[in-house]
Amino acid sequence: MLGMSETQTSAKLLPILIYPDAVLRKQARLVTRADADEVRALVPSMFATMYKAPGIGLAANQIGSLLRVIVVDVAPKETPAPIALINPEIIAKSDELATQEEGCLSIPDQYAEVTRPARVKVRYQDVQGVKKEIDADGLLSACLQHEIDHLNGVLFVDYLSPLKRNMLLRKLAKAVKEQKAR
Ligand code: NI
Protein backbone atom coordinates (compact mmCIF):
# COMPACT_ATOMS: atom_id res chain seq x y z
CA MET A 1 0.00 0.00 0.00
CA LEU A 2 1.22 3.47 -0.81
CA GLY A 3 1.69 6.37 1.56
CA MET A 4 -0.45 9.46 1.03
CA SER A 5 2.41 11.69 -0.13
CA GLU A 6 3.43 9.22 -2.81
CA THR A 7 -0.19 8.94 -3.94
CA GLN A 8 -0.55 12.70 -4.22
CA THR A 9 2.67 13.38 -6.08
CA SER A 10 2.32 10.77 -8.82
CA ALA A 11 -1.44 10.28 -9.19
CA LYS A 12 -3.17 11.49 -12.31
CA LEU A 13 -6.73 10.90 -13.40
CA LEU A 14 -7.08 8.46 -16.27
CA PRO A 15 -9.99 8.20 -18.72
CA ILE A 16 -12.13 5.09 -18.05
CA LEU A 17 -12.89 3.00 -21.13
CA ILE A 18 -16.60 2.44 -21.74
CA TYR A 19 -18.27 -0.70 -23.11
CA PRO A 20 -17.95 -1.91 -25.91
CA ASP A 21 -14.27 -0.81 -26.00
CA ALA A 22 -12.27 -3.82 -27.27
CA VAL A 23 -9.64 -3.52 -24.49
CA LEU A 24 -12.32 -4.53 -21.96
CA ARG A 25 -12.47 -7.93 -23.68
CA LYS A 26 -8.70 -8.53 -23.66
CA GLN A 27 -6.80 -10.87 -21.36
CA ALA A 28 -4.34 -8.87 -19.21
CA ARG A 29 -0.83 -10.29 -18.79
CA LEU A 30 1.14 -11.17 -15.67
CA VAL A 31 3.18 -8.36 -14.13
CA THR A 32 6.92 -9.13 -13.96
CA ARG A 33 9.87 -7.41 -12.27
CA ALA A 34 10.45 -5.46 -15.50
CA ASP A 35 7.04 -3.77 -15.00
CA ALA A 36 7.86 -2.50 -11.48
CA ASP A 37 8.27 1.19 -12.41
CA GLU A 38 5.17 1.21 -14.59
CA VAL A 39 3.09 -0.44 -11.84
CA ARG A 40 4.36 1.99 -9.20
CA ALA A 41 3.16 4.88 -11.39
CA LEU A 42 -0.06 3.15 -12.42
CA VAL A 43 -1.43 2.21 -8.98
CA PRO A 44 -1.80 5.75 -7.49
CA SER A 45 -3.46 6.91 -10.70
CA MET A 46 -5.84 3.96 -10.62
CA PHE A 47 -6.79 4.79 -7.01
CA ALA A 48 -7.29 8.47 -7.85
CA THR A 49 -9.42 7.55 -10.88
CA MET A 50 -11.49 5.04 -8.88
CA TYR A 51 -12.18 7.45 -5.99
CA LYS A 52 -13.03 10.30 -8.37
CA ALA A 53 -15.55 8.20 -10.35
CA PRO A 54 -16.57 7.22 -7.58
CA GLY A 55 -16.19 3.45 -7.53
CA ILE A 56 -15.13 0.64 -5.20
CA GLY A 57 -12.90 -1.20 -7.65
CA LEU A 58 -10.96 -0.67 -10.87
CA ALA A 59 -9.01 -3.03 -13.12
CA ALA A 60 -6.12 -1.97 -15.36
CA ASN A 61 -8.03 -2.93 -18.54
CA GLN A 62 -10.53 -0.21 -17.73
CA ILE A 63 -7.90 2.50 -18.13
CA GLY A 64 -6.29 0.86 -21.15
CA SER A 65 -3.42 -1.04 -19.51
CA LEU A 66 -3.14 -4.80 -20.00
CA LEU A 67 -1.20 -5.53 -16.80
CA ARG A 68 -2.78 -7.77 -14.14
CA VAL A 69 -3.40 -4.98 -11.62
CA ILE A 70 -6.59 -4.15 -9.71
CA VAL A 71 -7.39 -1.66 -6.96
CA VAL A 72 -10.31 -1.94 -4.54
CA ASP A 73 -11.70 -0.10 -1.53
CA VAL A 74 -15.07 -1.23 -0.20
CA ALA A 75 -14.75 0.65 3.11
CA PRO A 76 -16.86 3.72 4.00
CA LYS A 77 -15.48 7.02 2.67
CA GLU A 78 -14.50 8.21 6.18
CA THR A 79 -12.23 5.20 6.76
CA PRO A 80 -10.53 4.41 3.45
CA ALA A 81 -9.00 0.93 3.11
CA PRO A 82 -7.28 0.89 -0.30
CA ILE A 83 -5.86 -2.43 -1.50
CA ALA A 84 -3.78 -2.76 -4.67
CA LEU A 85 -3.48 -6.31 -5.96
CA ILE A 86 -0.82 -7.30 -8.49
CA ASN A 87 -1.32 -10.63 -10.29
CA PRO A 88 -4.39 -11.49 -8.19
CA GLU A 89 -5.57 -15.08 -8.39
CA ILE A 90 -8.57 -16.80 -6.81
CA ILE A 91 -7.12 -19.89 -5.11
CA ALA A 92 -10.28 -21.07 -3.31
CA LYS A 93 -13.98 -20.32 -3.45
CA SER A 94 -16.96 -21.38 -1.35
CA ASP A 95 -19.70 -23.69 -2.66
CA GLU A 96 -22.15 -21.31 -1.04
CA LEU A 97 -23.31 -18.59 -3.43
CA ALA A 98 -24.32 -14.98 -2.79
CA THR A 99 -26.27 -12.54 -4.93
CA GLN A 100 -25.43 -8.84 -4.94
CA GLU A 101 -26.31 -5.91 -7.13
CA GLU A 102 -23.31 -4.99 -9.27
CA GLY A 103 -22.38 -2.08 -11.45
CA CYS A 104 -19.24 -1.20 -13.37
CA LEU A 105 -17.46 2.08 -14.15
CA SER A 106 -17.15 0.84 -17.77
CA ILE A 107 -20.92 0.21 -17.96
CA PRO A 108 -22.03 3.43 -16.26
CA ASP A 109 -25.34 3.74 -14.41
CA GLN A 110 -26.45 0.17 -15.18
CA TYR A 111 -26.96 -2.30 -12.34
CA ALA A 112 -28.01 -5.93 -12.08
CA GLU A 113 -27.97 -8.77 -9.57
CA VAL A 114 -25.09 -11.20 -10.04
CA THR A 115 -24.65 -14.54 -8.27
CA ARG A 116 -21.12 -15.63 -7.41
CA PRO A 117 -19.34 -17.76 -4.78
CA ALA A 118 -20.01 -16.12 -1.40
CA ARG A 119 -16.39 -16.30 -0.21
CA VAL A 120 -13.04 -16.39 -2.00
CA LYS A 121 -9.40 -16.64 -1.07
CA VAL A 122 -7.24 -14.43 -3.29
CA ARG A 123 -3.45 -14.64 -3.61
CA TYR A 124 -1.64 -11.57 -4.93
CA GLN A 125 1.46 -9.40 -4.63
CA ASP A 126 1.39 -5.92 -3.14
CA VAL A 127 3.13 -2.99 -4.90
CA GLN A 128 6.40 -3.93 -3.16
CA GLY A 129 6.14 -7.43 -4.62
CA VAL A 130 5.34 -9.10 -1.27
CA LYS A 131 3.12 -12.19 -1.63
CA LYS A 132 -0.16 -11.90 0.29
CA GLU A 133 -3.54 -13.57 0.66
CA ILE A 134 -6.99 -12.22 1.47
CA ASP A 135 -10.02 -14.17 2.69
CA ALA A 136 -12.99 -12.16 1.49
CA ASP A 137 -16.72 -12.35 1.97
CA GLY A 138 -19.64 -10.00 1.37
CA LEU A 139 -19.02 -6.94 -0.78
CA LEU A 140 -15.23 -7.40 -0.88
CA SER A 141 -15.65 -10.95 -2.22
CA ALA A 142 -17.98 -9.82 -5.02
CA CYS A 143 -15.75 -6.83 -5.79
CA LEU A 144 -12.55 -8.90 -6.03
CA GLN A 145 -14.26 -11.45 -8.30
CA HIS A 146 -15.66 -8.66 -10.49
CA GLU A 147 -12.24 -6.96 -10.84
CA ILE A 148 -10.32 -10.19 -11.45
CA ASP A 149 -12.90 -11.02 -14.15
CA HIS A 150 -11.93 -7.74 -15.87
CA LEU A 151 -8.33 -8.98 -16.18
CA ASN A 152 -9.72 -11.96 -18.11
CA GLY A 153 -11.91 -9.84 -20.37
CA VAL A 154 -15.08 -10.84 -18.49
CA LEU A 155 -17.79 -8.32 -17.53
CA PHE A 156 -20.63 -8.66 -15.00
CA VAL A 157 -23.19 -8.56 -17.82
CA ASP A 158 -21.80 -11.91 -19.02
CA TYR A 159 -23.52 -13.53 -16.00
CA LEU A 160 -26.98 -12.25 -16.95
CA SER A 161 -29.55 -14.04 -19.10
CA PRO A 162 -29.36 -12.96 -22.77
CA LEU A 163 -32.65 -11.10 -22.35
CA LYS A 164 -31.50 -9.12 -19.30
CA ARG A 165 -28.07 -8.47 -20.83
CA ASN A 166 -29.54 -7.13 -24.08
CA MET A 167 -31.94 -4.86 -22.21
CA LEU A 168 -29.15 -3.46 -20.04
CA LEU A 169 -26.75 -2.94 -22.95
CA ARG A 170 -29.47 -1.26 -25.04
CA LYS A 171 -30.13 1.14 -22.16
CA LEU A 172 -26.38 1.81 -21.91
CA ALA A 173 -26.05 2.47 -25.66
CA LYS A 174 -28.98 4.91 -25.50
CA ALA A 175 -27.51 6.74 -22.49
CA VAL A 176 -24.06 6.99 -24.13
CA LYS A 177 -25.65 8.35 -27.33
CA GLU A 178 -27.63 10.95 -25.39
CA GLN A 179 -24.50 11.91 -23.45
CA LYS A 180 -22.61 12.48 -26.72
CA ALA A 181 -25.47 14.56 -28.18
CA ARG A 182 -25.35 16.92 -25.20
NI1 NI B 1 -16.18 -3.30 -13.51
Side-chain angles (χ1 to χ4, degrees):
M1 209 177 295
L2 294 151
M4 261 330 243
S5 55
E6 194 173 346
T7 304
Q8 281 163 356
T9 50
S10 52
K12 63 170 196 270
L13 293 177
L14 306 162
I16 297 174
L17 303 181
I18 302 298
Y19 181 95
D21 194 295
V23 179
L24 297 172
R25 288 306 193 182
K26 294 223 167 108
Q27 180 88 16
R29 69 162 176 85
L30 284 171
V31 171
T32 67
R33 260 172 222 285
D35 303 310
D37 287 346
E38 190 178 341
V39 168
R40 250 192 294 276
L42 188 66
V43 165
S45 298
M46 284 177 66
F47 274 122
T49 304
M50 179 188 80
Y51 287 126
K52 177 86 193 325
I56 59 169
L58 188 70
N61 305 45
Q62 293 179 275
I63 45 88
S65 162
L66 284 173
L67 294 173
R68 297 189 80 82
V69 176
I70 64 173
V71 296
V72 302
D73 186 349
V74 300
K77 215 175 170 181
E78 314 79 64
T79 53
I83 314 171
L85 300 91
I86 316 299
N87 296 333
E89 190 189 352
I90 295 170
I91 55 168
K93 45 186 151 186
S94 64
D95 292 332
E96 190 194 327
L97 302 176
T99 300
Q100 303 217 32
E101 185 169 79
E102 294 189 22
C104 180
L105 296 176
S106 295
I107 306 176
D109 302 324
Q110 310 300 322
Y111 302 89
E113 290 198 328
V114 177
T115 301
R116 302 176 181 273
R119 292 176 302 282
V120 289
K121 187 191 279 282
V122 175
R123 181 178 291 161
Y124 67 100
Q125 289 155 256
D126 68 12
V127 282
Q128 272 84 36
V130 178
K131 287 204 172 90
K132 296 195 167 168
E133 284 180 10
I134 298 186
D135 286 298
D137 64 4
L139 185 57
L140 181 59
S141 171
C143 183
L144 287 171
Q145 293 178 70
H146 176 121
E147 301 312 330
I148 292 170
D149 271 352
H150 271 299
L151 301 179
N152 298 320
V154 174
L155 301 169
F156 81 92
V157 295
D158 300 345
Y159 295 94
L160 307 180
S161 70
L163 184 70
K164 268 194 186 163
R165 178 167 57 243
N166 288 339
M167 272 174 53
L168 187 152
L169 293 175
R170 265 204 304 271
K171 275 200 297 178
L172 173 71
K174 192 163 169 261
V176 168
K177 210 171 140 190
E178 283 170 4
Q179 187 77 31
K180 276 185 186 152
R182 239 177 261 161

